[in-house]
């Protein structure tokens, strides 16, 4: 068997068989699904326990107009504020809502309870009060609410891109999100897998196994084997994440899109904000995820995924060669600091630019150049892609990326072959240049 | 089998090897001797094709050194090293395959060597669970498992306890008997002196001496004899018997004398016998270390 294949195999297997790899593989999609589920759960249930709210309304505007929800029950009472306060102090789930007579002229509504009231309860009450007051004020002004609702305009803009295949739905919100997610993933992945390469090199160097290995293979083969092996580990990890998340998400979303519609119907006319939500849901015709899904449908995931993997691999090869060179130049991980800056700087710069500039100006000249230059393109291009990038730009960018990693690999391998045999002295940049210029 | 011709290796401001030539005969044990920093490791790395010389050539079995030869060389570096977290069996298999063995061959050879070294039960152990001495054994197996024609052992006995060092020495000699050519590289010259057929001395990037060990030592014999005796201390002061040194340890007197003008040991003895009781007479043969020091001091200062 070819020796470089043996090295790739060892690098790959020794990492994939680690427990931490399995944990990461299942933990990350699990966390994503868990968060998805938690949010869905909280949205549906409100997350609070049942709260009994006694309404002591001295103004007479609100009495009898509060509507019960799943988690908040209202009851009107009459009496003295001070006495009721004492009573409520003895109840665990009791709340006293006190509305003074002068509520319409700047009086403050107060809520008393033994425990602090939850945000959900408070906002529910506030929404209801606003709605009741609004209705009353409209009524007082002689405006019929039903008429008002009818004349309320509700525009949404469907954004359409004009492409060769004709018009297609696009969603800049979703494009935003997908671009961000891909850029963040690439940024993190470059660091995670790049530093794995570096640590692998340092490990071999400090273990002194490296001299045994390079008496059998060329240093270049060892370095490339390591880079490719770890790159494949990253690829495997991503593919497993994608497969696991899509399976789990489709399972989860089919579970969540068939909930008992009753709670939605019950709550939809109770508060202003919920009413709006319910309207939006009605317009999206089915389930809370549908609008989101519709937006996501406008994005070509296969295309983005293919480019994501291309840029991940390209960027990884480019940077991990540099990581390998750094690893070869030091004796332990603490010494890597001085050489890390030139590697982290372009990545960090692009990362910041991606969020502050590129995403707002995806077609500007600066964005164009950032997505063409190999050191910045893996992150910058991912942000731009969902907004639509001409094919020639992608081709140029990928070609330069390939050229870029051939260049960095060449430079790195010249430093690497000397560095792995150097022990004990602290290396300077000057020395790296010297190593680079050594013949064979 | 190995012919090293006019090798020069230059590192930035430091010349590690300067016009070094050596011939290493097939089936012999060759000692590459010299102090630390003399250039031994640089030369070994060139033979192993880890680095390339700036000038000069190396021939292996008459062919110019090329990557095919790597599989025929077994190299035990001075700094031993293995993957700490890898199982020993897998690790041996990996290293053997890197040396070009097929998987099946490698497995059977590793089993053979593990049995020989009495470490069969270690297959699934990790290196980090082994003691230093145990790791050395594993490392030795890694060096010889692919049946190399040429074994290069850099400081082979460092790190072994005396029992294991003896065991390794026997294994090396057995391999040599089966036809393997061996290069010992060491700065502890006394440790390989009895084993080597041929040696080369390297100091400060230059070869200062090479040849058959016997010839070298013979050429450095100086007709000097050490006589141990009891009795009254004697002094001989004649041009034929030049006294190099005289000392006493309790009863025992020691006299080191150089014979000149064709005088023989018998002549020395007959002049001494009437005066003292002789216990022992030895010829003073210089050790490699002595030769080295003598040779270097002839050429100027040396830092050992």
């Amino acid at each position: 068997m070819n020796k470089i294949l043996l090295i790739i195999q060892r690098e790959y297997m020794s990492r994939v068989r680690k427990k931490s790899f399995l944990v990461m593989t299942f933990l990350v999609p699990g966390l994503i699904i868990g968060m998805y589920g938690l949010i869905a759960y909280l949205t549906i249930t409100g997350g609070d326990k049942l709260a009994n709210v006694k309404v002591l309304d001295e103004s007479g505007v609100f009495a009898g107009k509060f509507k019960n929800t799943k988690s908040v029950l209202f009851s009107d009472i009459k009496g003295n504020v001070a006495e009721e306060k004492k009573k409520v102090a003895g109840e665990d789930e009791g709340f006293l809502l006190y509305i003074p007579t002068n509520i319409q002229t700047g009086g403050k509504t107060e809520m008393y309870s033994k425990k602090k009231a939850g945000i959900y309860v408070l906002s529910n009450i506030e929404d209801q009060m606003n709605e009741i007051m609004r209705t009353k004020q409209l009524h007082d002004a002689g405006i019929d609410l039903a008429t008002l609702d009818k004349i309320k305009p509700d525009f949404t803009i469907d954004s359409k891109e004009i492409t060769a295949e004709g018009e297609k739905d696009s969603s800049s919100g979703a494009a935003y999100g997908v671009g961000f997610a891909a850029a963040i993933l690439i940024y993190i992945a470059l660091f995670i897998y790049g530093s794995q390469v570096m640590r692998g090199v340092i490990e071999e160097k400090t273990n002194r196994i490296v001299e045994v290995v390079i008496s059998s293979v060329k240093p270049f083969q060892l370095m490339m084997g390591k880079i490719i092996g770890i790159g494949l580990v990253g690829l495997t990890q991503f593919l497993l994440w994608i497969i696991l998340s899509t399976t789990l998400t489709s399972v989860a979303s089919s579970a969540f899109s068939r909930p008992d519609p009753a709670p939605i119907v019950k709550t939809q006319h109770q508060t202003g904000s919920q009413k709006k939500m319910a309207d939006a849901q009605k317009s999206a015709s089915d389930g809370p995820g549908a609008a989101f899904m519709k937006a996501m449908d406008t994005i070509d995931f296969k295309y983005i995924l293919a480019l994501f993997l291309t840029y991940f691999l390209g960027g990884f090869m480019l940077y991990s060669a540099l990581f390998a060179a750094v690893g070869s130049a030091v004796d332990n991980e603490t010494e890597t600091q001085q050489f890390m800056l030139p590697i982290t700087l372009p990545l960090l710069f692009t990362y910041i630019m991606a969020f502050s500039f590129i995403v707002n100006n995806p077609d500007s000249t600066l964005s164009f150049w950032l997505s063409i230059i190999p050191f910045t393109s893996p992150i910058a291009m991912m942000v731009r892609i969902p907004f639509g990038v001409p094919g020639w730009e992608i081709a140029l960018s990928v070609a330069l990326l390939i050229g870029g990693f051939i260049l960095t690999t060449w430079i790195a391998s010249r430093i690497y072959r000397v560095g792995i045999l150097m022990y004990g002295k602290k290396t300077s940049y000057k020395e790296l240049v010297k190593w680079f210029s050594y013949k064979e | 089998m190995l012919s090293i011709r006019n090798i020069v290796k230059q590192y930035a401001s430091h010349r590690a090897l300067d016009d070094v030539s050596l011939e290493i005969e097939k089936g012999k044990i060759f000692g590459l001797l010299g102090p630390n920093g003399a250039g031994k490791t640089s030369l070994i790395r060139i033979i192993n094709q880890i680095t390339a010389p700036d000038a000069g050539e190396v021939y292996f079995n008459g062919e110019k050194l090329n990557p095919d030869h790597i599989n025929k060389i077994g190299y035990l570096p001075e700094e031993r090293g293995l993957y700490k977290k890898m199982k020993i069996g897998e690790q041996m298999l990996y290293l053997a395959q890197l040396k070009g063995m097929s998987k099946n061959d490698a497995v059977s050879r590793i089993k053979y060597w593990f049995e020989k070294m009495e470490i069969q039960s270690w297959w699934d152990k990790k290196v980090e669970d082994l003691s230093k001495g145990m790791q050395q054994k594993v490392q030795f197996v890694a060096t010889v498992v692919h049946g190399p024609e040429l074994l290069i052992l850099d400081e082979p006995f460092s790190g072994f306890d005396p029992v294991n060092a003896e065991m390794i020495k026997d294994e090396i000699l057995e391999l040599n008997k089966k036809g393997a050519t061996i290069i010992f590289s060491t700065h502890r010259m006394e440790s390989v002196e009895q084993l080597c057929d041929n040696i080369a001395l390297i100091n400060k990037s230059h070869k200062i001496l090479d040849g058959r060990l016997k010839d070298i030592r013979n050429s450095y014999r100086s007709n000097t004899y050490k006589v141990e005796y009891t009795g009254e201390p004697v002094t001989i002061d004649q041009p034929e018997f030049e006294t190099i040194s005289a000392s006493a340890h309790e009863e025992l007197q020691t006299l080191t004398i150089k014979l000149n003008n064709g005088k023989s040991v018998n002549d020395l003895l007959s002049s001494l016998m009437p005066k003292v009781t002789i216990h022992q007479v030895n010829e003073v043969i210089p050790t490699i270390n002595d030769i080295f020091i003598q040779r270097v001091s002839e050429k100027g200062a040396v830092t050992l």
Side-chain angles (χ1 to χ4, degrees), chain A residues 313-324:
Chain A
L313 274 187
F316 169 77
M317 300 277 268
L318 181 120
Y319 276 104
S320 59
L322 297 178
F323 274 110

Side-chain angles (χ1 to χ4, degrees), chain A residues 212-424:
Chain A
V212 176
V213 177
I214 60 169
S215 70
S216 308
V217 301
K218 292 245 162 283
F220 180 75
Q221 290 175 304
L222 179 60
M223 188 181 95
M224 281 318 284
K226 189 173 279 299
I227 290 174
I228 295 171
I230 292 174
L232 289 176
V233 173
L235 218 53
T236 311
Q237 183 103 73
F238 277 126
L239 288 176
L240 284 176
W241 281 346
I242 291 164
I243 293 167
L244 271 177
S245 326
T246 41
T247 332
L248 285 177
T249 325
S250 60
V251 169
S253 63
S254 65
F256 280 118
S257 62
R258 277 188 281 105
D260 178 12
I264 298 171
V265 174
K266 240 191 278 170
T267 57
Q268 69 176 275
H269 291 297
Q270 283 174 356
T271 67
S273 69
Q274 286 186 345
K275 191 162 180 250
K276 267 181 250 152
M277 238 172 74
D279 284 346
Q281 283 160 13
K282 257 187 274 165
S283 73
S285 80
D286 58 351
F292 174 69
M293 289 303 179
K294 189 177 170 243
M296 297 303 263
D297 278 347
T298 66
I299 296 163
D300 187 348
F301 274 103
K302 275 184 199 139
Y303 174 67
I304 289 187
L305 191 63
L307 282 176
F308 173 79
L309 293 178
T310 308
Y311 277 100
F312 164 67
L313 274 187
F316 169 77
M317 300 277 268
L318 181 120
Y319 276 104
S320 59
L322 297 178
F323 274 110
V326 171
S328 75
V330 299
D331 284 346
N332 57 62
E333 229 175 305
T334 51
E335 285 173 33
T336 58
Q337 291 306 327
Q338 55 162 335
F339 297 119
M340 288 301 282
L341 196 66
I343 299 179
T344 48
L345 211 58
L347 281 175
L348 197 62
F349 170 73
T350 332
Y351 186 70
I352 293 168
M353 285 306 283
F355 286 79
S356 58
F357 183 81
I358 302 175
V359 79
N360 295 317
N361 311 281
D363 293 323
S364 68
T365 317
L366 180 60
S367 299
F368 167 78
W369 283 111
L370 285 175
S371 61
I372 292 298
I373 296 166
F375 288 90
T376 58
S377 65
I379 294 172
M381 191 56 106
M382 281 327 288
V383 179
R384 288 186 62 208
I385 280 169
F387 296 97
V389 177
W392 70 267
E393 283 187 26
I394 289 176
L396 176 64
S397 160
V398 170
L400 282 176
L401 189 60
I402 292 169
F405 81 64
I406 291 171
L407 179 76
T408 57
T409 309
W410 178 68
I411 294 172
S413 69
R414 292 187 68 95
I415 293 172
Y416 178 86
R417 76 209 155 115
V418 184
I420 44 173
L421 294 173
M422 292 283 177
Y423 294 104

Side-chain angles (χ1 to χ4, degrees), chain A residues 3 6-7 10 17 203-204 207-209 211-218 421 434 438-440, chain B residues 9 12 45 49-50 52 70-71 75 77 79-84 86 90 94 97-99 139:
Chain A
K3 287 177 180 179
L6 277 169
I7 296 167
R10 196 202 81 84
R17 275 191 290 181
E203 188 205 350
E204 277 171 356
N207 278 356
R208 313 275 170 150
I209 180 82
E211 195 159 348
V212 176
V213 177
I214 60 169
S215 70
S216 308
V217 301
K218 292 245 162 283
L421 294 173
K434 226 191 274 172
Y438 280 164
K439 277 200 300 173
E440 268 293 322
Chain B
K9 180 71 186 173
R45 283 179 177 166
Q49 302 181 50
I50 291 171
I70 282 176
N71 297 345
Y75 174 38
E79 297 283 358
R80 313 294 152 75
L82 294 163
Y83 289 106
K84 291 212 161 37
M86 212 174 165
E90 282 173 26
Y94 174 63
Q97 283 180 286
L98 282 186
K99 281 290 187 187
Q139 189 104 44

Side-chain angles (χ1 to χ4, degrees), chain A residues 147-162:
Chain A
T147 321
L148 185 76
D149 271 353
K150 248 182 260 164
I151 60 173
K152 192 162 81 185
D154 182 19
F155 291 116
T156 54
I157 298 174
D158 274 358
S159 110
K160 307 253 183 197
E161 279 171 63
I162 302 169

